[in-house]
Amino acid sequence: MAKYILEYLWLDGYEPVANLRGKTQIKEFKSFPKLSELPWWGFDGSSTRQAEGRSSDCMLKPVAIYPDAARGENCALVMCEVYMPDKKTPHPSNARATIPDDPGAWFGFEQEYFLYKNGRPLGFPCGPNNYPYPQGLYYTGVGYDAVGSIAREIVDKHLELCLAAGINHEGINAEVAKGQWEFQIFGKGSKNAADQVWVARYLLMRLCEKYEVDVNFHCKPLGKDVDWNGSGMHSNFSTTYMREVGGKDYFEALMGAFDKYKNEHIAVYGPDNHLRLTGLHETQSIDKFNYGVANRGASVRVPHSFVDNGYKGYLEDRRPNSQGDPYKIAGRILQTVATVPTPGGKAKQK
Ligand code: ADP
Ligand code: MN
Ligand code: MN
Ligand code: MN
């Protein structure tokens, strides 16, 4: 038997954006533990806006485990769902529990974020009214002027930690604004990619502690009145039906449903999105829904490959923002998809 250091992670009850919380327990196992070997645990919900002080227990149900290479050997990150003390009722803050189980649903999230130091993006000159060169050479750029001196070290280290954890990063890139970056995570299964995004966010925030750098996930941290991009979390999705059957009629019916439920989507696509979805900076405005082939100004971008393959494949919903909860985003997308009839299968009601 060996001692394992397990960091149990969960989302707290703060609105409109939940925070990651974590605490450590040490347990003995013969080898790296399987999910089914991990015990439930509890925490004081009165300190996380998840319970009253008089009855403060909340329960943690492990739902995914990842090696925690940054911490050391025999260390793991354990993503958890929050339950009521009866261990049967999901806590109201537990959005993951509302996602339908569907191994055929695949998601790819493109997480954009800013690295911040002293209240300004990393590499911005000191002072609230001082800006670096206008946007242009930062996106995928190289050199001190473009990316500064420590951002790339953080971003590369984060990638290394995520890969060591078994997180399925597909790529990283410097983004359009100075101090802004992106990583992409892909996962098969309705909850898998979302779990990985939360753990990747955790690893990034924890890594940045020692650089005295903050991760700013706000979708428009510099405000809407300056010519600096906001941050999104484009959500690429497909179902077995979309990949294998698809077709133009189904696609149009699907987009009809996305139009019909546009407000329900926006409601879970991250706060303050009206600051970002303005119709400028590669976005559609928040009150409109449209789609377009290779159109980065559309709500949903249809990849060329989708049309070329007879309307089969994945679609990119460009509206979710960087602060959105991937559990809520995936859940809402699948809820809308389920309202569209598929020949041979029956659509569920909203
Ligand atoms: P762009 O920046 O041009 O929008 P990216 O390469 O950053 O494109 O992101 C594309 C995303 O699409 C990736 O996260 C990838 O995992 C995802 N993706 C690719 N194929 C599928 C699929 N069949 N189902 C869901 N997502 C997919
Ligand atoms: Mn991208
Ligand atoms: Mn991007
Ligand atoms: Mn994209």
Side-chain angles (χ1 to χ4, degrees), residues 237 241-242 245-258 289-293 300-303 306-307 310-316 340-341:
F237 65 95
Y241 192 87
M242 288 168 66
V245 185
K248 195 166 186 211
D249 291 348
Y250 178 75
F251 165 72
E252 282 172 357
L254 191 61
M255 291 300 94
F258 270 69
F289 176 84
N290 71 339
Y291 59 87
V293 177
V300 167
R301 178 172 67 91
V302 184
F306 187 88
V307 179
Y311 291 81
K312 281 198 288 233
Y314 73 97
L315 298 169
E316 177 189 45
V340 182

Side-chain angles (χ1 to χ4, degrees), residues 204-223:
L204 180 60
M205 292 167 81
R206 196 181 65 182
L207 170 67
C208 283
E209 290 167 357
K210 70 165 175 285
Y211 294 93
E212 299 179 18
V213 163
D214 265 314
V215 188
N216 189 329
F217 287 107
H218 192 271
C219 71
K220 205 72 185 177
L222 294 161

